[in-house]
Amino acid sequence: MASILGALLRWKLGNDFLANIFGASLIGLLSGLEFRSNIQIFLGIGFCGALTTYSGWMVDVWDLMRNGFFLKAFALLSVTLIVGFLAFAIAFWIGRKTKQSFFP
């Protein structure tokens, strides 16, 4: 069920970059909150797994390279990795701070 919702949101967004960054943020938040239950599996693996799209990202990079836009392809790879990691890290930090506020 969660994977269906994640895939529908990715389709509705229509932008692989936004979907990947949102998914990285959500999985960072879940990791920071340290859910150890079916909720983390449901949201982390199901929803985020279907929301984020490695294959779509690679198709976009490949299309840029195939059309001779090597710098844009490299930029898409680099920016997605860097922004995705930062989104994960910030959301993880927020999750940790939130957890500590409620469970000191």
Side-chain angles (χ1 to χ4, degrees):
M1 179 66 177
S3 59
I4 294 170
L5 297 173
L8 287 172
L9 179 57
R10 182 182 71 221
W11 172 72
K12 186 69 175 167
L13 286 173
N15 184 315
D16 290 344
F17 178 79
L18 292 177
N20 290 336
I21 301 309
F22 179 71
S25 299
L26 183 56
I27 199 76
L29 182 64
L30 292 171
S31 297
L33 290 170
E34 294 182 337
F35 284 119
R36 298 289 182 223
S37 66
N38 291 338
I39 293 172
Q40 188 157 1
I41 293 170
F42 182 83
L43 292 174
I45 294 172
F47 184 79
C48 291
L51 173 64
T52 59
T53 171
Y54 184 80
S55 58
W57 179 39
M58 290 301 105
V59 168
D60 291 343
V61 170
W62 178 255
D63 284 343
L64 288 169
M65 289 175 53
R66 188 179 53 172
N67 292 311
F69 298 106
F70 298 103
L71 188 58
K72 285 185 179 182
F74 179 75
L76 180 59
L77 280 170
S78 302
V79 169
T80 303
L81 286 172
I82 292 167
V83 173
F85 180 77
L86 289 173
F88 176 91
I90 291 167
F92 180 87
W93 179 80
I94 291 169
R96 279 291 163 97
K97 292 296 181 185
T98 302
K99 184 180 178 199
Q100 290 171 358
S101 295
F102 290 103
F103 303 104

